[in-house]
Amino acid sequence: MDELHAALDALAGHDLHDLSDGALLERTAALVAVRNRLDAELTRTVRAADTRQAAEHDGLKTMQSWLRGHARLSTAEAGRIVRAGRALEHLPAVAAAFAAGTITAEQ
């Protein structure tokens, strides 16, 4: 996780005003793909925690309640992540595309 934080710090340090319009669009597309991959990894991790009932470690009954309380996600967003994790177990091709960053969590 330290490497991920370092990479994000490096990205945040770039001066976007130095980039051409084309380079800005390329960066945007790359960031969307990376965001999709990160969302997929979050969903996969939440599903593993949900399956193991890990939220009980913090005294909570569900991962949805843990996400609301600890990650400060809205009820709708927390529920979406939990439901997506459950659904992706039955949709391996979709899970693979999500993990590759080619589709979004919404798709």
Side-chain angles (χ1 to χ4, degrees):
M1 293 302 275
D2 290 340
E3 293 167 349
L4 180 58
H5 286 281
L8 289 172
D9 289 343
L11 282 172
H14 291 164
D15 185 356
L16 300 179
H17 298 288
D18 288 343
L19 298 177
S20 68
D21 292 349
L24 281 171
L25 295 176
E26 286 177 18
R27 178 184 167 102
T28 299
L31 287 170
V32 168
V34 169
R35 177 184 174 183
N36 291 342
R37 293 185 68 192
L38 188 57
D39 285 346
E41 190 58 25
L42 173 61
T43 301
R44 187 174 80 91
T45 302
V46 167
R47 180 59 186 149
D50 186 38
T51 300
R52 291 174 36 182
Q53 298 175 334
E56 291 182 4
H57 176 78
D58 278 347
L60 298 169
K61 291 190 177 202
T62 67
M63 276 308 296
Q64 186 173 354
S65 63
W66 190 94
L67 289 167
R68 286 192 321 263
H70 289 277
R72 296 181 178 89
L73 297 182
S74 69
T75 299
E77 181 64 6
R80 185 201 59 76
I81 293 169
V82 171
R83 284 189 306 278
R86 292 174 182 165
L88 288 173
E89 285 187 335
H90 305 287
L91 303 166
V94 175
F98 191 24
T102 58
I103 64 171
T104 68
E106 294 166 350
Q107 290 173 311

Coordinates of all heavy atoms in Angstrom, one line a residue:
M1 N 0.8 -1.2 0.0 CA 0.0 0.0 0.0 C 0.9 1.3 0.0 O 0.4 2.3 -0.5 CB -0.9 0.0 1.2 CG -2.0 -1.1 1.1 SD -3.0 -1.1 -0.3 CE -4.3 0.1 0.2
D2 N 2.0 1.2 0.6 CA 2.9 2.3 0.6 C 3.3 2.8 -0.8 O 3.4 4.0 -1.1 CB 4.2 2.1 1.4 CG 3.9 1.9 2.9 OD1 2.9 2.5 3.4 OD2 4.8 1.3 3.6
E3 N 3.5 1.8 -1.7 CA 3.9 2.1 -3.1 C 2.7 2.8 -3.8 O 2.9 3.7 -4.6 CB 4.2 0.8 -3.8 CG 5.5 0.2 -3.3 CD 5.7 -1.3 -3.8 OE1 4.8 -1.8 -4.4 OE2 6.8 -1.8 -3.6
L4 N 1.5 2.4 -3.5 CA 0.3 3.0 -4.1 C 0.2 4.5 -3.6 O 0.0 5.4 -4.5 CB -1.0 2.3 -3.7 CG -2.3 2.8 -4.3 CD1 -2.2 2.9 -5.8 CD2 -3.4 2.0 -3.8
H5 N 0.5 4.7 -2.4 CA 0.4 6.1 -1.8 C 1.5 6.9 -2.5 O 1.3 8.1 -2.8 CB 0.6 6.1 -0.3 CG -0.7 5.6 0.4 ND1 -1.8 6.5 0.6 CD2 -1.0 4.5 1.0 CE1 -2.7 5.8 1.2 NE2 -2.3 4.6 1.5
A6 N 2.7 6.3 -2.6 CA 3.8 7.0 -3.3 C 3.5 7.4 -4.7 O 3.8 8.5 -5.2 CB 5.1 6.2 -3.2
A7 N 2.9 6.5 -5.4 CA 2.6 6.7 -6.8 C 1.5 7.8 -6.9 O 1.6 8.7 -7.8 CB 2.0 5.4 -7.5
L8 N 0.6 7.8 -6.0 CA -0.4 8.9 -6.0 C 0.2 10.3 -5.7 O -0.2 11.3 -6.3 CB -1.6 8.6 -5.1 CG -2.5 7.4 -5.5 CD1 -3.5 7.1 -4.4 CD2 -3.2 7.8 -6.8
D9 N 1.1 10.2 -4.8 CA 1.8 11.5 -4.4 C 2.6 12.0 -5.6 O 2.6 13.2 -5.9 CB 2.8 11.3 -3.2 CG 2.0 11.1 -1.9 OD1 0.8 11.4 -1.8 OD2 2.7 10.5 -1.0
A10 N 3.2 11.1 -6.3 CA 4.0 11.5 -7.5 C 3.1 12.1 -8.6 O 3.4 13.1 -9.2 CB 4.8 10.3 -8.1
L11 N 1.9 11.5 -8.8 CA 0.9 12.0 -9.8 C 0.5 13.4 -9.4 O 0.3 14.3 -10.2 CB -0.3 11.1 -9.9 CG -0.1 9.8 -10.7 CD1 -1.3 8.9 -10.6 CD2 0.2 10.2 -12.2
A12 N 0.2 13.6 -8.1 CA -0.3 14.8 -7.6 C 0.7 15.9 -7.7 O 0.4 17.1 -7.8 CB -0.8 14.7 -6.1
G13 N 2.0 15.5 -7.8 CA 3.1 16.5 -8.0 C 3.3 17.0 -9.4 O 4.0 18.0 -9.6
H14 N 2.6 16.4 -10.4 CA 2.8 16.8 -11.7 C 2.1 18.2 -12.0 O 1.0 18.4 -11.5 CB 2.3 15.8 -12.7 CG 3.0 14.5 -12.7 ND1 2.6 13.4 -13.3 CD2 4.3 14.2 -12.3 CE1 3.5 12.4 -13.2 NE2 4.5 12.9 -12.6
D15 N 2.7 19.0 -12.7 CA 2.1 20.3 -13.1 C 1.3 20.0 -14.4 O 1.8 19.8 -15.5 CB 3.2 21.4 -13.4 CG 2.6 22.7 -13.7 OD1 1.3 22.8 -13.8 OD2 3.3 23.7 -13.8
L16 N 0.0 20.0 -14.2 CA -0.9 19.7 -15.4 C -0.9 20.8 -16.4 O -1.3 20.6 -17.6 CB -2.3 19.5 -14.8 CG -2.5 18.3 -13.9 CD1 -3.9 18.2 -13.4 CD2 -2.0 17.0 -14.4
H17 N -0.5 22.0 -16.0 CA -0.5 23.1 -17.0 C 0.6 22.9 -18.0 O 0.6 23.6 -19.1 CB -0.3 24.5 -16.3 CG -1.5 24.8 -15.4 ND1 -2.7 25.1 -15.8 CD2 -1.5 24.7 -14.0 CE1 -3.5 25.3 -14.8 NE2 -2.8 25.1 -13.7
D18 N 1.6 22.1 -17.7 CA 2.7 21.8 -18.7 C 2.3 20.8 -19.8 O 3.0 20.6 -20.8 CB 3.9 21.3 -18.0 CG 4.6 22.3 -17.1 OD1 4.4 23.5 -17.4 OD2 5.4 21.9 -16.2
L19 N 1.1 20.2 -19.6 CA 0.7 19.1 -20.5 C -0.1 19.7 -21.7 O -0.9 20.6 -21.5 CB -0.1 18.1 -19.8 CG 0.6 17.3 -18.7 CD1 -0.4 16.3 -18.0 CD2 1.8 16.5 -19.2
S20 N 0.0 19.1 -22.9 CA -0.8 19.5 -24.0 C -2.2 19.0 -23.8 O -2.5 18.2 -22.9 CB -0.2 18.9 -25.3 OG -0.4 17.5 -25.3
D21 N -3.1 19.4 -24.6 CA -4.5 19.0 -24.5 C -4.6 17.4 -24.7 O -5.2 16.7 -24.0 CB -5.4 19.6 -25.6 CG -5.6 21.1 -25.3 OD1 -5.2 21.6 -24.2 OD2 -6.1 21.8 -26.2
G22 N -3.8 16.9 -25.7 CA -3.8 15.5 -26.0 C -3.3 14.7 -24.8 O -3.8 13.7 -24.4
A23 N -2.2 15.3 -24.2 CA -1.6 14.6 -23.0 C -2.6 14.6 -21.9 O -2.6 13.6 -21.1 CB -0.3 15.3 -22.7
L24 N -3.3 15.7 -21.7 CA -4.3 15.7 -20.6 C -5.4 14.7 -20.8 O -5.8 14.0 -19.9 CB -5.0 17.1 -20.5 CG -4.2 18.2 -19.8 CD1 -4.8 19.6 -20.0 CD2 -4.0 17.9 -18.3
L25 N -5.8 14.5 -22.1 CA -6.8 13.5 -22.4 C -6.3 12.1 -22.2 O -7.0 11.2 -21.6 CB -7.4 13.7 -23.8 CG -8.1 15.0 -24.0 CD1 -8.5 15.1 -25.5 CD2 -9.4 15.1 -23.1
E26 N -5.1 11.9 -22.6 CA -4.4 10.6 -22.4 C -4.3 10.3 -20.9 O -4.6 9.1 -20.4 CB -3.1 10.5 -23.0 CG -3.1 10.4 -24.5 CD -1.7 10.4 -25.1 OE1 -0.7 10.2 -24.4 OE2 -1.6 10.7 -26.4
R27 N -3.9 11.2 -20.1 CA -3.8 11.1 -18.6 C -5.2 10.8 -18.0 O -5.3 9.9 -17.2 CB -3.2 12.4 -18.0 CG -3.1 12.3 -16.5 CD -2.6 13.7 -16.0 NE -2.7 13.8 -14.6 CZ -1.7 13.7 -13.7 NH1 -0.5 13.4 -14.1 NH2 -1.9 13.8 -12.4
T28 N -6.2 11.5 -18.5 CA -7.6 11.3 -18.0 C -8.0 9.8 -18.3 O -8.5 9.2 -17.4 CB -8.5 12.3 -18.6 OG1 -8.1 13.6 -18.3 CG2 -10.0 12.0 -18.2
A29 N -7.8 9.4 -19.5 CA -8.2 8.0 -19.8 C -7.4 7.0 -19.0 O -8.0 6.0 -18.5 CB -7.9 7.7 -21.3
A30 N -6.1 7.2 -18.8 CA -5.3 6.3 -18.0 C -5.8 6.3 -16.5 O -5.9 5.2 -15.9 CB -3.8 6.7 -18.0
L31 N -6.1 7.5 -16.0 CA -6.6 7.6 -14.6 C -8.0 6.9 -14.5 O -8.2 6.2 -13.4 CB -6.7 9.0 -14.2 CG -5.4 9.7 -13.9 CD1 -5.5 11.2 -13.7 CD2 -4.7 9.1 -12.7
V32 N -8.8 7.0 -15.5 CA -10.1 6.3 -15.4 C -9.9 4.8 -15.3 O -10.5 4.0 -14.5 CB -11.0 6.6 -16.6 CG1 -12.2 5.7 -16.7 CG2 -11.5 8.1 -16.5
A33 N -9.0 4.2 -16.2 CA -8.7 2.8 -16.1 C -8.1 2.4 -14.8 O -8.5 1.3 -14.2 CB -7.7 2.5 -17.3
V34 N -7.2 3.2 -14.2 CA -6.6 2.9 -12.9 C -7.7 3.0 -11.8 O -7.7 2.1 -10.9 CB -5.4 3.8 -12.6 CG1 -5.0 3.7 -11.2 CG2 -4.3 3.6 -13.6
R35 N -8.6 3.9 -11.9 CA -9.7 4.0 -11.0 C -10.6 2.8 -11.0 O -11.0 2.2 -10.0 CB -10.5 5.3 -11.3 CG -11.7 5.4 -10.3 CD -12.6 6.6 -10.7 NE -13.8 6.5 -9.9 CZ -14.7 7.4 -10.0 NH1 -14.7 8.4 -10.9 NH2 -15.8 7.3 -9.2
N36 N -10.8 2.3 -12.2 CA -11.6 1.1 -12.4 C -10.9 -0.1 -11.7 O -11.6 -0.9 -11.0 CB -11.9 0.8 -13.9 CG -12.8 1.8 -14.5 OD1 -13.5 2.5 -13.8 ND2 -12.8 1.8 -15.8
R37 N -9.6 -0.2 -11.9 CA -8.9 -1.3 -11.3 C -8.9 -1.2 -9.8 O -9.0 -2.2 -9.1 CB -7.5 -1.3 -11.9 CG -7.4 -1.7 -13.3 CD -6.0 -1.8 -13.8 NE -5.4 -3.0 -13.2 CZ -4.1 -3.2 -13.2 NH1 -3.3 -2.4 -13.8 NH2 -3.6 -4.3 -12.6
L38 N -8.7 0.0 -9.3 CA -8.8 0.2 -7.9 C -10.1 -0.1 -7.3 O -10.3 -0.7 -6.2 CB -8.4 1.7 -7.5 CG -8.2 2.0 -6.1 CD1 -7.1 1.1 -5.4 CD2 -7.8 3.5 -5.9
D39 N -11.2 0.3 -8.0 CA -12.6 0.0 -7.6 C -12.8 -1.5 -7.6 O -13.4 -2.1 -6.7 CB -13.6 0.6 -8.5 CG -13.8 2.1 -8.2 OD1 -13.3 2.6 -7.2 OD2 -14.4 2.8 -9.1
A40 N -12.2 -2.2 -8.5 CA -12.3 -3.7 -8.6 C -11.6 -4.3 -7.4 O -12.1 -5.3 -6.8 CB -11.7 -4.2 -9.9
E41 N -10.4 -3.8 -7.1 CA -9.7 -4.4 -6.0 C -10.4 -4.1 -4.6 O -10.4 -4.9 -3.7 CB -8.3 -3.8 -5.9 CG -7.4 -4.5 -5.0 CD -7.2 -6.0 -5.2 OE1 -7.4 -6.5 -6.3 OE2 -7.0 -6.7 -4.2
L42 N -11.0 -2.9 -4.5 CA -11.8 -2.6 -3.3 C -13.0 -3.6 -3.2 O -13.2 -4.1 -2.1 CB -12.3 -1.2 -3.4 CG -13.3 -0.7 -2.3 CD1 -12.6 -0.9 -0.9 CD2 -13.8 0.7 -2.5
T43 N -13.6 -3.8 -4.3 CA -14.8 -4.7 -4.3 C -14.4 -6.1 -4.0 O -15.1 -6.8 -3.2 CB -15.5 -4.6 -5.7 OG1 -15.9 -3.3 -6.0 CG2 -16.7 -5.5 -5.8
R44 N -13.3 -6.5 -4.5 CA -12.8 -7.9 -4.2 C -12.4 -8.0 -2.7 O -12.7 -9.0 -2.1 CB -11.5 -8.2 -5.1 CG -11.0 -9.6 -5.0 CD -9.9 -9.8 -6.0 NE -8.6 -9.3 -5.5 CZ -7.8 -10.0 -4.9 NH1 -8.0 -11.3 -4.6 NH2 -6.6 -9.5 -4.5
T45 N -11.8 -7.0 -2.2 CA -11.4 -7.0 -0.8 C -12.6 -7.0 0.1 O -12.7 -7.7 1.1 CB -10.4 -5.8 -0.5 OG1 -9.3 -5.9 -1.3 CG2 -10.0 -5.8 1.0
V46 N -13.6 -6.1 -0.2 CA -14.8 -6.1 0.6 C -15.5 -7.4 0.5 O -16.1 -7.9 1.6 CB -15.7 -4.9 0.1 CG1 -17.1 -5.0 0.7 CG2 -15.1 -3.6 0.5
R47 N -15.5 -8.1 -0.6 CA -16.2 -9.4 -0.7 C -15.5 -10.4 0.2 O -16.2 -11.2 0.9 CB -16.2 -9.9 -2.2 CG -16.9 -11.2 -2.3 CD -18.4 -11.1 -1.8 NE -18.9 -12.5 -1.8 CZ -19.9 -12.9 -1.0 NH1 -20.3 -12.1 0.0 NH2 -20.4 -14.1 -1.0
A48 N -14.2 -10.4 0.2 CA -13.5 -11.3 1.1 C -13.8 -11.0 2.5 O -14.1 -12.0 3.3 CB -12.0 -11.2 0.8
A49 N -13.9 -9.8 2.9 CA -14.2 -9.4 4.3 C -15.6 -9.8 4.6 O -15.9 -10.2 5.7 CB -14.0 -7.9 4.5
D50 N -16.5 -9.6 3.6 CA -17.9 -9.9 3.8 C -18.1 -11.4 4.0 O -18.8 -11.8 4.9 CB -18.7 -9.4 2.6 CG -20.2 -9.6 2.7 OD1 -20.8 -9.4 3.8 OD2 -20.8 -9.9 1.7
T51 N -17.4 -12.2 3.2 CA -17.5 -13.6 3.3 C -17.0 -14.1 4.7 O -17.6 -15.1 5.3 CB -16.7 -14.3 2.2 OG1 -17.2 -13.9 0.9 CG2 -16.7 -15.8 2.3
R52 N -16.0 -13.5 5.2 CA -15.4 -13.9 6.5 C -16.1 -13.2 7.7 O -15.7 -13.5 8.8 CB -13.9 -13.6 6.5 CG -13.2 -14.6 5.6 CD -11.8 -14.3 5.4 NE -11.0 -13.8 6.5 CZ -9.7 -13.5 6.5 NH1 -9.1 -13.6 5.4 NH2 -9.1 -13.1 7.6
Q53 N -17.1 -12.4 7.4 CA -17.7 -11.6 8.4 C -16.7 -10.8 9.3 O -16.8 -10.7 10.5 CB -18.6 -12.5 9.3 CG -19.7 -13.2 8.5 CD -20.5 -14.2 9.3 OE1 -20.0 -14.7 10.3 NE2 -21.7 -14.4 8.9
A54 N -15.7 -10.2 8.6 CA -14.7 -9.5 9.2 C -15.2 -8.2 10.0 O -14.5 -7.8 10.9 CB -13.6 -9.1 8.2
A55 N -16.3 -7.7 9.6 CA -16.8 -6.5 10.3 C -17.1 -6.8 11.8 O -17.0 -5.8 12.6 CB -18.1 -6.0 9.6
E56 N -17.4 -8.0 12.1 CA -17.6 -8.4 13.5 C -16.4 -8.1 14.4 O -16.5 -7.9 15.6 CB -18.1 -9.8 13.6 CG -19.5 -10.0 13.0 CD -20.0 -11.4 13.2 OE1 -19.3 -12.3 13.8 OE2 -21.1 -11.7 12.7
H57 N -15.2 -8.1 13.7 CA -13.9 -7.8 14.4 C -14.0 -6.4 15.1 O -13.5 -6.2 16.1 CB -12.8 -7.9 13.5 CG -11.5 -7.5 14.1 ND1 -10.7 -8.3 14.9 CD2 -10.7 -6.3 14.0 CE1 -9.6 -7.7 15.3 NE2 -9.6 -6.5 14.7
D58 N -14.8 -5.5 14.4 CA -14.9 -4.1 15.0 C -16.3 -3.9 15.6 O -16.7 -2.8 15.9 CB -14.8 -3.1 13.8 CG -13.4 -2.8 13.5 OD1 -12.5 -3.1 14.3 OD2 -13.1 -2.1 12.5
G59 N -17.0 -5.1 15.9 CA -18.3 -5.0 16.6 C -19.5 -4.6 15.7 O -20.5 -4.3 16.2
L60 N -19.3 -4.7 14.4 CA -20.3 -4.4 13.4 C -20.8 -5.7 12.8 O -20.1 -6.7 12.7 CB -19.9 -3.4 12.4 CG -19.4 -2.1 12.9 CD1 -18.7 -1.2 11.9 CD2 -20.6 -1.3 13.5
K61 N -22.1 -5.7 12.4 CA -22.7 -6.9 11.8 C -22.4 -7.1 10.4 O -22.4 -8.3 9.9 CB -24.2 -6.9 12.1 CG -24.5 -7.1 13.5 CD -26.0 -7.3 13.7 CE -26.2 -7.5 15.2 NZ -27.5 -8.2 15.5
T62 N -22.3 -6.1 9.6 CA -22.1 -6.2 8.1 C -21.0 -5.4 7.6 O -20.6 -4.4 8.2 CB -23.4 -5.8 7.4 OG1 -23.6 -4.4 7.6 CG2 -24.6 -6.6 7.9
M63 N -20.5 -5.7 6.4 CA -19.5 -4.9 5.7 C -20.1 -3.6 5.3 O -19.5 -2.6 5.3 CB -18.9 -5.6 4.5 CG -17.8 -6.6 4.9 SD -16.5 -5.8 5.9 CE -15.8 -4.5 4.8
Q64 N -21.4 -3.6 5.0 CA -22.1 -2.4 4.6 C -22.0 -1.4 5.7 O -21.7 -0.2 5.5 CB -23.5 -2.6 4.1 CG -24.1 -1.4 3.6 CD -25.5 -1.6 3.0 OE1 -25.9 -2.7 2.9 NE2 -26.2 -0.6 2.6
S65 N -22.3 -1.8 6.9 CA -22.3 -0.9 8.1 C -20.8 -0.5 8.4 O -20.6 0.6 8.8 CB -22.9 -1.5 9.3 OG -22.2 -2.7 9.7
W66 N -19.8 -1.4 8.2 CA -18.5 -1.0 8.4 C -18.0 0.0 7.4 O -17.4 1.0 7.8 CB -17.6 -2.3 8.2 CG -16.2 -2.0 8.7 CD1 -15.6 -2.3 9.9 CD2 -15.1 -1.5 7.9 NE1 -14.3 -1.9 9.9 CE2 -14.0 -1.4 8.7 CE3 -15.0 -1.0 6.6 CZ2 -12.7 -0.9 8.2 CZ3 -13.8 -0.5 6.1 CH2 -12.7 -0.5 6.9
L67 N -18.4 -0.1 6.1 CA -18.1 0.9 5.1 C -18.7 2.2 5.4 O -18.1 3.3 5.2 CB -18.5 0.4 3.7 CG -17.7 -0.8 3.1 CD1 -18.4 -1.4 1.9 CD2 -16.3 -0.3 2.8
R68 N -19.9 2.2 5.9 CA -20.6 3.5 6.3 C -19.8 4.1 7.5 O -19.6 5.3 7.5 CB -22.0 3.3 6.6 CG -22.9 3.0 5.4 CD -24.4 3.1 5.8 NE -24.8 2.5 7.0 CZ -25.2 1.2 7.2 NH1 -25.4 0.4 6.2 NH2 -25.5 0.8 8.4
G69 N -19.5 3.3 8.5 CA -18.9 3.9 9.7 C -17.5 4.2 9.6 O -17.0 5.3 10.1
H70 N -16.7 3.3 9.0 CA -15.2 3.5 9.0 C -14.7 4.2 7.7 O -13.8 5.0 7.8 CB -14.5 2.2 9.1 CG -14.6 1.6 10.5 ND1 -13.8 2.0 11.5 CD2 -15.5 0.7 11.0 CE1 -14.2 1.3 12.6 NE2 -15.2 0.6 12.3
A71 N -15.4 3.9 6.6 CA -14.9 4.6 5.3 C -15.8 5.8 5.0 O -15.5 6.4 4.0 CB -15.0 3.5 4.2
R72 N -16.8 6.0 5.8 CA -17.7 7.2 5.6 C -18.4 7.2 4.2 O -18.6 8.2 3.6 CB -17.0 8.5 5.9 CG -16.5 8.6 7.3 CD -15.8 9.9 7.5 NE -15.4 10.1 8.9 CZ -14.3 9.7 9.4 NH1 -13.4 9.1 8.7 NH2 -14.0 9.8 10.7
L73 N -18.7 6.0 3.7 CA -19.4 5.9 2.5 C -20.9 6.0 2.7 O -21.4 5.7 3.8 CB -19.2 4.5 1.8 CG -17.7 4.3 1.4 CD1 -17.6 2.9 0.7 CD2 -17.1 5.3 0.5
S74 N -21.6 6.5 1.7 CA -23.1 6.6 1.8 C -23.7 5.2 1.9 O -23.0 4.2 1.5 CB -23.7 7.4 0.6 OG -23.5 6.6 -0.5
T75 N -24.9 5.1 2.4 CA -25.6 3.8 2.4 C -25.7 3.2 1.0 O -25.4 2.0 0.9 CB -27.0 4.0 3.0 OG1 -26.8 4.5 4.4 CG2 -27.7 2.7 3.1
A76 N -26.0 4.0 0.1 CA -26.1 3.5 -1.3 C -24.8 3.0 -1.8 O -24.7 1.9 -2.5 CB -26.7 4.7 -2.2
E77 N -23.7 3.8 -1.6 CA -22.4 3.3 -2.2 C -21.9 2.1 -1.5 O -21.4 1.2 -2.1 CB -21.4 4.5 -2.0 CG -20.0 4.1 -2.6 CD -20.0 3.9 -4.1 OE1 -21.0 4.1 -4.8 OE2 -18.9 3.5 -4.6
A78 N -22.0 2.0 -0.2 CA -21.6 0.8 0.6 C -22.4 -0.4 0.1 O -21.8 -1.4 -0.1 CB -21.8 1.1 2.1
G79 N -23.7 -0.2 -0.1 CA -24.5 -1.3 -0.5 C -24.1 -1.8 -1.9 O -24.1 -3.0 -2.3
R80 N -23.8 -0.8 -2.8 CA -23.4 -1.1 -4.2 C -22.1 -1.9 -4.2 O -22.0 -2.9 -4.9 CB -23.2 0.2 -5.0 CG -22.9 -0.1 -6.5 CD -22.2 1.1 -7.2 NE -20.9 1.5 -6.6 CZ -19.8 0.8 -6.7 NH1 -19.7 -0.3 -7.4 NH2 -18.7 1.2 -6.2
I81 N -21.2 -1.6 -3.4 CA -19.9 -2.3 -3.3 C -20.1 -3.7 -2.9 O -19.6 -4.7 -3.4 CB -18.8 -1.6 -2.5 CG1 -18.5 -0.3 -3.1 CG2 -17.6 -2.5 -2.2 CD1 -17.6 0.7 -2.2
V82 N -20.9 -3.9 -1.8 CA -21.1 -5.2 -1.3 C -21.9 -6.1 -2.3 O -21.5 -7.2 -2.5 CB -21.9 -5.1 0.1 CG1 -22.4 -6.5 0.5 CG2 -21.0 -4.5 1.2
R83 N -22.9 -5.5 -2.9 CA -23.7 -6.3 -3.9 C -22.8 -6.6 -5.1 O -22.9 -7.7 -5.7 CB -24.9 -5.5 -4.3 CG -26.0 -5.5 -3.3 CD -27.3 -4.8 -3.9 NE -27.1 -3.5 -4.4 CZ -27.1 -2.4 -3.7 NH1 -27.2 -2.4 -2.4 NH2 -26.9 -1.2 -4.3
A84 N -22.0 -5.7 -5.5 CA -21.1 -6.0 -6.7 C -20.2 -7.1 -6.4 O -20.0 -8.0 -7.2 CB -20.3 -4.7 -7.1
G85 N -19.6 -7.1 -5.2 CA -18.7 -8.2 -4.8 C -19.4 -9.6 -4.9 O -18.9 -10.6 -5.3
R86 N -20.6 -9.6 -4.4 CA -21.4 -10.8 -4.4 C -21.7 -11.3 -5.8 O -21.6 -12.4 -6.2 CB -22.7 -10.7 -3.6 CG -22.4 -10.5 -2.1 CD -23.7 -10.2 -1.4 NE -23.4 -10.1 0.1 CZ -24.2 -9.5 0.9 NH1 -25.4 -9.1 0.6 NH2 -23.8 -9.4 2.2
A87 N -22.1 -10.3 -6.7 CA -22.4 -10.6 -8.1 C -21.2 -11.1 -8.9 O -21.3 -12.0 -9.7 CB -23.1 -9.4 -8.7
L88 N -20.1 -10.4 -8.6 CA -18.9 -10.8 -9.4 C -18.4 -12.2 -9.2 O -17.7 -12.7 -10.1 CB -17.8 -9.8 -9.1 CG -18.0 -8.4 -9.7 CD1 -16.9 -7.4 -9.2 CD2 -18.1 -8.4 -11.2
E89 N -18.7 -12.8 -8.1 CA -18.4 -14.2 -7.9 C -19.0 -15.1 -8.9 O -18.5 -16.2 -9.3 CB -18.8 -14.6 -6.5 CG -18.0 -14.1 -5.4 CD -18.3 -14.7 -4.0 OE1 -19.5 -15.2 -3.8 OE2 -17.4 -14.8 -3.2
H90 N -20.1 -14.7 -9.5 CA -20.9 -15.5 -10.4 C -20.6 -15.0 -11.9 O -21.2 -15.6 -12.8 CB -22.4 -15.4 -10.1 CG -22.7 -15.8 -8.7 ND1 -22.7 -17.1 -8.3 CD2 -23.0 -15.1 -7.6 CE1 -23.0 -17.2 -7.0 NE2 -23.2 -15.9 -6.6
L91 N -19.8 -14.0 -12.1 CA -19.6 -13.4 -13.4 C -18.1 -13.3 -13.6 O -17.6 -12.2 -13.6 CB -20.3 -12.1 -13.5 CG -21.8 -12.0 -13.3 CD1 -22.3 -10.6 -13.1 CD2 -22.5 -12.7 -14.4
P92 N -17.4 -14.4 -13.8 CA -15.9 -14.3 -13.9 C -15.4 -13.4 -15.0 O -14.4 -12.7 -14.9 CB -15.5 -15.7 -14.0 CG -16.7 -16.5 -14.4 CD -17.9 -15.7 -13.9
A93 N -16.1 -13.4 -16.2 CA -15.6 -12.6 -17.3 C -15.8 -11.1 -17.0 O -14.9 -10.3 -17.3 CB -16.4 -12.9 -18.6
V94 N -16.9 -10.7 -16.3 CA -17.1 -9.3 -15.9 C -16.0 -9.0 -14.8 O -15.5 -7.9 -14.9 CB -18.5 -9.1 -15.4 CG1 -18.7 -7.7 -14.8 CG2 -19.5 -9.4 -16.5
A95 N -15.8 -9.9 -13.9 CA -14.8 -9.6 -12.8 C -13.4 -9.4 -13.4 O -12.7 -8.5 -13.0 CB -14.8 -10.8 -11.8
A96 N -13.1 -10.2 -14.4 CA -11.8 -10.0 -15.1 C -11.7 -8.7 -15.8 O -10.6 -8.0 -15.7 CB -11.5 -11.2 -16.1
A97 N -12.7 -8.3 -16.5 CA -12.7 -7.0 -17.2 C -12.6 -5.8 -16.2 O -12.0 -4.8 -16.5 CB -14.0 -6.9 -18.1
F98 N -13.3 -6.0 -15.1 CA -13.3 -4.9 -14.1 C -11.9 -4.8 -13.5 O -11.4 -3.8 -13.4 CB -14.3 -5.3 -13.0 CG -14.7 -4.3 -12.0 CD1 -14.5 -2.9 -12.2 CD2 -15.2 -4.7 -10.7 CE1 -14.8 -2.0 -11.2 CE2 -15.5 -3.7 -9.8 CZ -15.3 -2.4 -10.0
A99 N -11.3 -6.0 -13.2 CA -10.0 -6.0 -12.6 C -8.9 -5.4 -13.6 O -7.9 -4.8 -13.2 CB -9.6 -7.4 -12.2
A100 N -9.2 -5.6 -14.9 CA -8.3 -5.1 -15.9 C -8.5 -3.6 -16.2 O -7.7 -2.9 -16.8 CB -8.5 -5.8 -17.2
G101 N -9.6 -3.0 -15.6 CA -9.8 -1.6 -15.8 C -10.6 -1.2 -17.0 O -10.8 0.0 -17.3
T102 N -11.1 -2.2 -17.7 CA -11.8 -1.9 -19.0 C -13.3 -1.6 -18.8 O -13.9 -1.1 -19.8 CB -11.6 -3.0 -20.0 OG1 -12.1 -4.3 -19.5 CG2 -10.1 -3.2 -20.4
I103 N -13.8 -2.0 -17.7 CA -15.2 -1.6 -17.4 C -15.3 -0.9 -16.0 O -14.4 -1.1 -15.2 CB -16.2 -2.8 -17.5 CG1 -15.9 -3.8 -16.4 CG2 -16.2 -3.4 -18.8 CD1 -17.0 -4.9 -16.3
T104 N -16.3 -0.2 -15.8 CA -16.5 0.5 -14.5 C -17.3 -0.3 -13.5 O -18.0 -1.3 -13.9 CB -17.2 1.9 -14.7 OG1 -18.5 1.6 -15.1 CG2 -16.5 2.7 -15.7
A105 N -17.4 0.1 -12.3 CA -18.2 -0.6 -11.3 C -19.6 -0.5 -11.7 O -20.4 -1.4 -11.4 CB -17.9 0.1 -9.9
E106 N -20.0 0.6 -12.3 CA -21.4 0.8 -12.7 C -21.8 -0.2 -13.8 O -23.0 -0.6 -13.9 CB -21.7 2.2 -13.1 CG -21.5 3.2 -12.0 CD -21.4 4.7 -12.5 OE1 -21.3 4.9 -13.7 OE2 -21.4 5.6 -11.6
Q107 N -20.9 -0.5 -14.7 CA -21.3 -1.4 -15.7 C -21.4 -2.8 -15.2 O -22.2 -3.6 -15.7 CB -20.2 -1.4 -16.8 CG -20.1 -0.1 -17.6 CD -19.0 0.0 -18.5 OE1 -17.8 -0.3 -18.1 NE2 -19.2 0.3 -19.7

